[in-house]
Amino acid sequence: MKLWTYGSVALLYRMVGYSYPINEKLTIDSSAFVKYTNGAPISFDVASKVTFDQKYWGGLGYRAEDAGSIMIGADISRNIGIAYAYDFTLSDLNEGSKGSHEFVLTLRFNNNKDSDEDGVPDDIDECPEEPGTEENKGCPEEEEEDDPNDDKDNDGVLNKDDKCPEVAG
């Protein structure tokens, strides 16, 4: 734990968060933030958001004895996101402020390696050496092999004996 000083003012910030995967599509992310500034009351924030399909999210936040917030957002791509938040004042300041609107554009400048150049970064790609799809977590679609005892074209000749297994005749 580190305590910073700015002139004669001491500052202490601590944050903790955790991600709870519910299933393949839903994740809940929660966080808490404590701020201590010498000469001011301790500030405490909590927030939680639910993410669907690693793309769309909504959440709620609360700052002790001050404000609440409602948030929604979406990732347009791996590097671009948009969000909207509305903060509503819960303290005596609400007489002068009925709340605030916040619009956010997120640009992520990162160097996520994509070894197979399929658009899925290696850190989340389950098959980083083979091109695949985002829907399949970076892995290629599995092709079904023809069963030689099937009759793919329904002409009465089994695939193993049929010179044209996809054309009836």
Side-chain angles (χ1 to χ4, degrees):
M1 198 157 40
K2 186 168 184 175
L3 187 67
W4 290 282
T5 58
Y6 181 73
S8 62
V9 179
L11 307 169
L12 175 66
Y13 295 162
R14 298 307 286 165
M15 183 172 192
V16 64
Y18 190 75
S19 185
Y20 306 93
I22 303 300
N23 56 41
E24 280 188 18
K25 297 276 187 187
L26 284 176
T27 304
I28 297 176
D29 297 300
S30 297
S31 63
F33 176 69
V34 178
K35 178 174 76 172
Y36 168 76
T37 304
N38 193 20
I42 293 175
S43 174
F44 182 75
D45 297 23
V46 292
S48 192
K49 76 175 186 177
V50 175
T51 304
F52 176 73
D53 208 18
Q54 297 181 340
K55 190 175 250 184
Y56 309 100
W57 58 269
L60 300 171
Y62 174 73
R63 182 174 304 113
E65 300 179 23
D66 184 35
S69 60
I70 299 171
M71 305 161 274
I72 59 170
D75 286 334
I76 296 169
S77 72
R78 194 176 75 194
N79 296 321
I80 300 172
I82 58 171
Y84 167 77
Y86 178 71
D87 289 6
F88 46 93
T89 308
L90 300 172
S91 68
D92 291 339
L93 293 175
N94 67 3
E95 291 177 21
S97 170
K98 299 300 179 200
S100 65
H101 300 272
E102 181 178 338
F103 297 92
V104 178
L105 173 64
T106 304
L107 302 173
R108 297 178 192 95
F109 299 101
N110 54 23
N111 294 323
N112 283 344
K113 187 176 178 185
D114 184 9
S115 299
D116 55 16
E117 298 179 348
D118 61 0
V120 181
D122 289 354
D123 61 341
I124 60 171
D125 193 331
E126 292 185 4
C127 303
E129 301 300 320
E130 300 176 78
T133 62
E134 191 172 335
E135 295 79 26
N136 208 33
K137 299 179 184 174
C139 292
E141 297 289 332
E142 292 184 22
E143 295 181 23
E144 293 182 28
E145 291 186 26
D146 289 338
D147 184 348
N149 294 318
D150 281 346
D151 181 14
K152 194 174 194 178
D153 57 11
N154 296 318
D155 64 356
V157 180
L158 297 179
N159 292 342
K160 67 180 180 177
D161 301 322
D162 198 335
K163 291 185 180 179
C164 301
E166 296 185 19
V167 179

